[in-house]
Amino acid sequence: MAEHPNRDAPAAGRGGFGASGRRAKVADMVSEGLYVAAAATRLALKNRILVDILAQGGDFDVTHFVPEAREILLTLAEEADQDAQRMRDGRKLASRRFSDSDGTHDYRSRDVRNLRRRERQSQRVAKELRARAADDVQLRTLVEGAREAAWAEVSRNIDRTLRIEAARPDLEPDYAKLRDARMQSLRLVDLPRLAAHRRRNEQGAAGELHDQEVTDRPRTVGGIDLSELE
């Protein structure tokens, strides 16, 4: 796909990596791609469920989210097709280049085999995603998984809120130990910092008062108050 093919992959027949090894590796990569696609679909559906059910107050209905699950899978299939096309174009261009590569995506003739494998991988991912998009059972399974993920997120938030709002010292086994630590931090850090802040404020206020007194003092020359001459 977008990443650079593995230039160091052994050729067929060398190091025990033959046709069966290549097929196994492609199958693993396809499985990984499908797993990522399923996770992305569940995440998108989970967010939609949270908005529709919680924010808008709707009722959960599996069939309501099936079309969206299908649309997400088809979009991911289209992206896989585009990846396959990029690998195909890169392979054709690389087959005519025999010099050293200048960068990550600057393919050369030795990359052709790996580019072809990446192309087949993306094609198989796209095909499988379209098959799943046409299977109502698969789609309902994705929606149910997204609902469980949404509920898990909501329940964690509720539990966290209740723990904060209903916290009681007698229900926390480490309360005494944590209380000693908090009190020590209060004595050693917070109170000295507060005292220093108060001293700075008092010194600043005293300086301002002194400046005001100097400013308000009558201006005199030779014992004569100049303000009386104004």
Side-chain angles (χ1 to χ4, degrees), residues 29-49:
M29 296 170 68
V30 170
S31 297
E32 181 180 353
L34 293 174
Y35 175 82
V36 172
T41 303
R42 281 194 298 271
L43 177 61
L45 290 172
K46 180 201 75 172
N47 293 336
R48 180 61 182 271
I49 290 171

Side-chain angles (χ1 to χ4, degrees), residues 140-151:
R140 293 176 69 90
T141 299
L142 281 173
V143 174
E144 290 288 357
R147 180 180 68 168
E148 293 179 4
W151 171 244

Side-chain angles (χ1 to χ4, degrees), residues 1 30 33-34 80 120-129:
M1 290 186 181
V30 170
L34 293 174
R120 290 198 302 268
Q121 170 202 343
S122 296
Q123 289 172 339
R124 289 178 57 180
V125 168
K127 181 179 179 180
E128 180 61 28
L129 289 176

Side-chain angles (χ1 to χ4, degrees), residues 1 27 30-32 37 68 72 74-75 83 109 113 163 172 196 227:
M1 290 186 181
V30 170
S31 297
E32 181 180 353
E68 182 160 356
I72 294 172
L74 292 176
T75 299
D83 286 339
S109 59
R113 180 178 300 162
R163 286 179 181 274
E172 296 187 23
S227 64

Side-chain angles (χ1 to χ4, degrees), residues 23-208:
R23 285 195 296 269
K25 190 166 185 178
V26 171
D28 291 341
M29 296 170 68
V30 170
S31 297
E32 181 180 353
L34 293 174
Y35 175 82
V36 172
T41 303
R42 281 194 298 271
L43 177 61
L45 290 172
K46 180 201 75 172
N47 293 336
R48 180 61 182 271
I49 290 171
L50 289 173
V51 171
D52 285 5
I53 304 303
L54 298 181
Q56 300 179 5
D59 295 327
F60 178 79
D61 183 2
V62 174
T63 58
H64 175 73
F65 296 97
V66 165
E68 182 160 356
R70 179 181 293 110
E71 182 181 352
I72 294 172
L73 289 178
L74 292 176
T75 299
L76 293 174
E78 180 63 27
E79 291 177 0
D81 279 337
Q82 293 173 3
D83 286 339
Q85 183 61 50
R86 281 194 291 270
M87 293 300 101
R88 188 178 304 115
D89 294 341
R91 176 169 56 83
K92 292 178 180 179
L93 187 60
S95 64
R96 301 191 297 270
R97 294 179 173 179
F98 304 96
S99 59
D100 292 335
S101 173
D102 293 330
T104 303
H105 302 289
D106 186 26
Y107 303 126
R108 292 296 185 264
S109 59
R110 61 179 175 273
D111 298 317
V112 168
R113 180 178 300 162
N114 291 326
L115 288 168
R116 184 180 292 111
R117 186 173 68 248
R118 296 290 181 123
E119 179 185 344
R120 290 198 302 268
Q121 170 202 343
S122 296
Q123 289 172 339
R124 289 178 57 180
V125 168
K127 181 179 179 180
E128 180 61 28
L129 289 176
R130 289 193 171 90
R132 294 185 180 186
D135 187 340
D136 286 342
V137 175
Q138 294 262 15
L139 294 174
R140 293 176 69 90
T141 299
L142 281 173
V143 174
E144 290 288 357
R147 180 180 68 168
E148 293 179 4
W151 171 244
E153 182 172 322
V154 171
S155 62
R156 285 194 300 269
N157 290 335
I158 293 175
D159 181 69
R160 187 181 303 112
T161 301
L162 291 176
R163 286 179 181 274
I164 294 173
E165 294 183 354
R168 289 173 46 189
D170 57 321
L171 298 180
E172 296 187 23
D174 295 332
Y175 174 77
K177 183 186 301 183
L178 295 175
R179 180 182 182 279
D180 292 340
R182 287 193 292 266
M183 294 303 296
Q184 184 176 9
S185 175
L186 178 65
R187 289 192 301 269
L188 299 179
V189 178
D190 296 330
L191 290 179
R193 184 180 297 169
L194 179 60
H197 179 70
R198 183 175 180 179
R199 285 194 300 270
R200 287 195 299 269
N201 287 342
E202 291 176 348
Q203 292 171 357
E208 292 177 359

